[in-house]
Amino acid sequence: MLPVNQQTVLETDNVSYRYSKQPVLENVSMEIKKGSFLGLVGPNGSGKSTLIKILLGLIAPDAGEIRLFGTPLKKFKHWEKIGYVSQKANSFNSGFPATVQEVVAMGLYGQMGLFRFLNKTHKRKIENALEQVGMSDYKKRTIGELSGGQQQRVFIARALVSEPDILILDEPTVGVDAQSVQQFYTLLSTLNIEKGMTLLLVTHDVGVMTRYVSHVACLNRILHFHGTSEEFEEQNLSSVYGHDVTMITHGHESGGPL
Amino acid sequence: MLAVFLQYSFLRYALIIGLLVGFLAPVLGVFIVMRRQALITDALSHITLTGIAFHLLMAQSLTVLQPVNPVYMGMGFSVTGSLLLERLRHVYASYKELAVPIILSSGIGFGVVFLSLADEFGSDLFRYLFGSIIAVTSQDALVVSLIAVIVILFIIFFYKELFFLSFDEEQAKINGIPTKTINFLFTVIAALVIASSIRIVGILLVSSLMILPVAASVRLSKSFKQMFVYAFLFGELSVAVGLLTAFYFDVAPGGMIALTALLILGIVIGLKKETH
Ligand SMILES: Nc1ncnc2c1ncn2[C@@H]1O[C@H](COP(=O)(O)OP(=O)(O)OP(=O)(O)O)[C@@H](O)[C@H]1O
Ligand SMILES: [Mg+2]
């Protein structure tokens, strides 16, 4: 088990939200400590992506408060500390003639500020990020020419390039083959354990995820469960999901994450 | 032929303006097309027409306006229209494309009423609709050169923000890019370039110079930077060939420029039969 620091990276306090009439989130209170790896699970339409969008300030909650690195969201300025890979990252305009390198460079633009140009250090960071996701050989290719899984890796590199303190990933393994999923989780583990990066992962692969994460949160409009992965494994899945589900759980060691 | 062309000062000024908008329009067009907003150019050019019509109407009673080029009023309208357009895009957040026909039809509606009241359906109108190379003054050339400098500086300094915004506006926002400010500035810049291009290509054909070279470029480009190189080349080629042939055959330059741009697009599509 990782030594989990006490500093809270991300915190939601009684957050509620509705798109029209139907409430999507109700009184969600959750926190992520520095250095932890939280898996956020829940059935389709349970409000996971909505919660992430609220955390990122893309939509404002109807009630409740969000704090990022201890700062209320409205006052938060250090967006370079947050890396995000959206669920629909691979549904961008596929005809866009941008190279992999150009796409990853975008991840640096926010922290570079206005009127600044890419320099050698930036270029080295881009190389590093591509190397981390195993896409160095593709840097000159246009993004539209890559497969869905490869594109997803490029978007992860774009999130990593600014060396964020927390990386938020919304279902990054959709459309990624089994072997790549394995590599992907290994990459996340490395980032979490070796670099101490805090991770928030939205996923449906509950079985695989529990082997890597330190904490689990189960959302279905309300937060049904929020605790360590050991505590999660002792729970009955249907109770945490809020209704009956059949889940394939892969055999895994009892020792918890790695 | 070129020598004759350069003999007359108004033709020289027309050529200067033409070559300036020949790259300004398609370079902005790259961002516009990538953001899937190609129709915006039509909305803004039609709003320019409204401004021109308004000027012509006002000039009948306000003699001070008579020596002024109506395109300036058009520019003012186009910039205002661009701001309205941004607002409408927020009002109709999930039907962003609705903003375009709203602005476009109000532009034509008001334009036609102003023109009728001013009784201006003659050759002047024809010039504004399809462009002209006669009576271009040194002042026109100066104003467009000034706008060109502003646009070039804008693109150089905001290149990375514009690029990110064109690729993925939501992600750009999360990364702390001031998307609202950049969108605002970009629309104003686009309005200025459109109004500048009207002198030569005309209201109805501005979009051909902004969009067709980009449409050809997108088929050949292997990176975002290359998009600009091809768009620049095709834009300039269209203007140069278009202006010279228009002068030679005595037809509206807008038509010849649009036809040249179309020909280039046709060749590119023919050469590279691959879907994009
Ligand atoms: N833009 C929107 N307008 C209206 N309702 C929405 C919108 N986006 C999502 N919803 C609704 O809010 C609920 C939660 O959606 P959300 O995308 O947060 O679910 P999710 O947990 O991410 O699901 P998935 O696992 O399928 O990605 C759903 O019932 C959905 O229908
Ligand atoms: Mg989702």
Side-chain angles (χ1 to χ4, degrees):
Chain A
M1 183 83 223
L2 271 178
V4 174
N5 251 312
Q6 278 314 293
Q7 197 194 337
T8 305
V9 171
L10 201 152
E11 199 173 354
T12 74
D13 192 5
N14 274 307
V15 165
S16 299
Y17 187 78
R18 59 185 67 203
Y19 281 102
S20 45
K21 284 187 220 92
Q22 204 67 10
V24 173
L25 296 172
E26 269 182 291
N27 296 321
V28 176
S29 296
M30 187 179 87
E31 61 169 20
I32 304 176
K33 297 276 190 207
K34 189 171 162 59
S36 65
F37 183 171
L38 175 73
L40 177 61
V41 297
N44 291 131
S46 55
K48 303 181 299 292
S49 297
T50 305
L51 182 62
I52 302 284
K53 283 187 182 142
I54 291 175
L55 290 175
L56 293 166
L58 288 174
I59 50 183
D62 297 331
E65 220 196 309
I66 289 102
R67 275 181 297 278
L68 302 170
F69 298 90
T71 312
L73 184 99
K74 280 207 179 72
K75 294 195 184 129
F76 187 71
K77 294 272 186 302
H78 295 283
W79 291 103
E80 74 280 359
K81 289 188 178 179
I82 300 179
Y84 168 59
V85 182
S86 83
Q87 183 170 7
K88 52 180 176 57
N90 44 13
S91 72
F92 67 101
N93 172 4
S94 64
F96 202 105
T99 61
V100 165
Q101 229 169 354
E102 285 176 323
V103 171
V104 176
M106 289 181 207
L108 290 167
Y109 290 171
Q111 63 174 231
M112 282 163 67
L114 297 173
F115 314 123
R116 294 279 189 286
F117 302 96
L118 286 179
N119 60 29
K120 279 222 176 73
T121 321
H122 296 130
K123 287 185 180 140
R124 205 167 322 116
K125 284 185 180 182
I126 296 170
E127 298 276 326
N128 279 344
L130 281 171
E131 209 159 296
Q132 281 186 55
V133 299
M135 290 296 291
S136 300
D137 295 344
Y138 296 85
K139 64 185 179 196
K140 300 261 190 245
R141 297 272 286 272
T142 44
I143 184 86
E145 294 172 348
L146 304 182
S147 75
Q150 290 173 327
Q151 286 172 0
Q152 195 63 291
R153 291 197 207 186
V154 174
F155 291 121
I156 292 165
R158 179 175 71 182
L160 288 177
V161 73
S162 62
E163 293 160 0
D165 290 357
I166 178 168
L167 184 59
I168 301 177
L169 306 124
D170 195 349
E171 295 189 37
T173 51
V174 172
V176 176
D177 64 68
Q179 194 199 338
S180 304
V181 168
Q182 195 60 45
Q183 285 175 3
F184 172 72
Y185 276 100
T186 312
L187 166 67
L188 292 187
S189 266
T190 315
L191 290 171
N192 181 231
I193 293 164
E194 285 172 20
K195 305 231 159 137
M197 194 180 283
T198 313
L199 300 176
L200 167 54
L201 171 72
V202 176
T203 181
H204 287 288
D205 355 299
V206 180
V208 190
M209 170 211 65
T210 39
R211 274 184 279 167
Y212 299 92
V213 298
S214 64
H215 292 76
V216 177
C218 301
L219 186 71
N220 194 0
R221 198 184 77 245
I222 61 168
L223 203 58
H224 285 274
F225 175 84
H226 182 29
T228 64
S229 52
E230 290 88 350
E231 289 164 348
F232 175 71
E233 286 182 12
E234 291 155 13
Q235 299 274 322
N236 178 330
L237 260 185
S238 45
S239 81
V240 299
Y241 256 57
H243 67 89
D244 268 349
V245 278
T246 30
M247 196 63 66
I248 306 146
T249 16
H250 304 246
H252 47 73
E253 321 80 85
S254 54
L258 288 188
Chain B
M1 194 169 101
L2 192 63
V4 183
F5 200 90
L6 294 174
Q7 218 168 1
Y8 300 98
S9 60
F10 69 88
L11 287 177
R12 265 203 316 271
Y13 297 135
L15 191 64
I16 291 173
I17 295 184
L19 292 178
L20 285 173
V21 300
F23 77 86
L24 291 181
V27 162
L28 277 194
V30 169
F31 294 110
I32 294 176
V33 169
M34 286 302 118
R35 306 177 70 175
R36 302 175 180 275
Q37 291 182 358
L39 288 173
I40 241 179
T41 55
D42 285 310
L44 294 182
S45 62
H46 285 81
I47 265 290
T48 312
L49 171 70
T50 319
I52 289 170
F54 184 69
H55 177 104
L56 294 175
L57 179 61
M58 296 313 282
Q60 294 192 329
S61 39
L62 289 170
T63 42
V64 279
L65 283 181
Q66 271 162 13
V68 182
N69 189 336
V71 168
Y72 298 127
M73 186 73 85
M75 244 175 230
F77 269 60
S78 167
V79 170
T80 317
S82 67
L83 304 184
L84 279 177
L85 202 107
E86 273 298 307
R87 277 238 56 80
L88 278 174
R89 283 163 52 79
H90 286 292
V91 174
Y92 291 105
S94 30
Y95 303 98
K96 287 196 166 80
E97 73 279 6
L98 254 186
V100 168
I102 292 175
I103 293 286
L104 198 141
S105 39
S106 359
I108 302 184
F110 279 109
V112 167
V113 169
F114 291 155
L115 286 170
S116 309
L117 291 175
D119 202 17
E120 282 276 5
F121 279 103
S123 58
D124 263 5
L125 180 61
F126 188 83
R127 272 180 22 210
Y128 293 121
L129 290 182
F130 306 106
S132 119
I133 41 178
I134 55 165
V136 181
T137 65
S138 62
Q139 204 203 355
D140 294 340
L142 195 70
V143 170
V144 175
S145 311
L146 218 71
I147 290 177
V149 173
I150 296 172
V151 176
I152 293 167
L153 289 178
F154 174 76
I155 291 180
I156 291 175
F157 284 121
F158 290 95
Y159 173 80
K160 63 187 199 306
E161 284 79 15
L162 289 168
F163 174 42
F164 202 165
L165 226 67
S166 312
F167 188 76
D168 187 343
E169 186 158 350
E170 186 174 82
Q171 188 81 42
K173 204 165 156 186
I174 294 164
N175 283 32
I177 305 282
T179 51
K180 271 199 188 135
T181 316
I182 309 264
N183 274 336
F184 168 81
L185 292 174
F186 181 78
T187 327
V188 172
I189 291 281
L192 286 176
V193 169
I194 288 169
S196 311
S197 315
I198 277 174
R199 198 77 181 80
I200 301 294
V201 272
I203 287 153
L204 292 180
L205 294 164
V206 167
S207 58
S208 67
L209 186 56
M210 272 196 142
I211 306 303
L212 296 186
V214 182
S217 167
V218 80
R219 305 203 123 239
L220 300 176
S221 301
K222 289 255 164 275
S223 74
F224 198 59
K225 292 229 165 85
Q226 270 187 21
M227 285 285 290
F228 294 98
V229 177
Y230 286 117
F232 175 96
L233 286 176
F234 296 154
E236 291 294 27
L237 193 62
S238 306
V239 168
V241 174
L243 277 183
L244 287 174
T245 50
F247 173 71
Y248 194 71
F249 296 113
D250 192 23
V251 296
M256 290 317 288
I257 292 172
L259 288 184
T260 314
L262 256 178
L263 183 68
I264 295 171
L265 179 62
I267 292 171
V268 169
I269 292 177
L271 280 180
K272 201 151 176 285
K273 284 207 177 71
E274 168 189 308
T275 47
H276 252 289

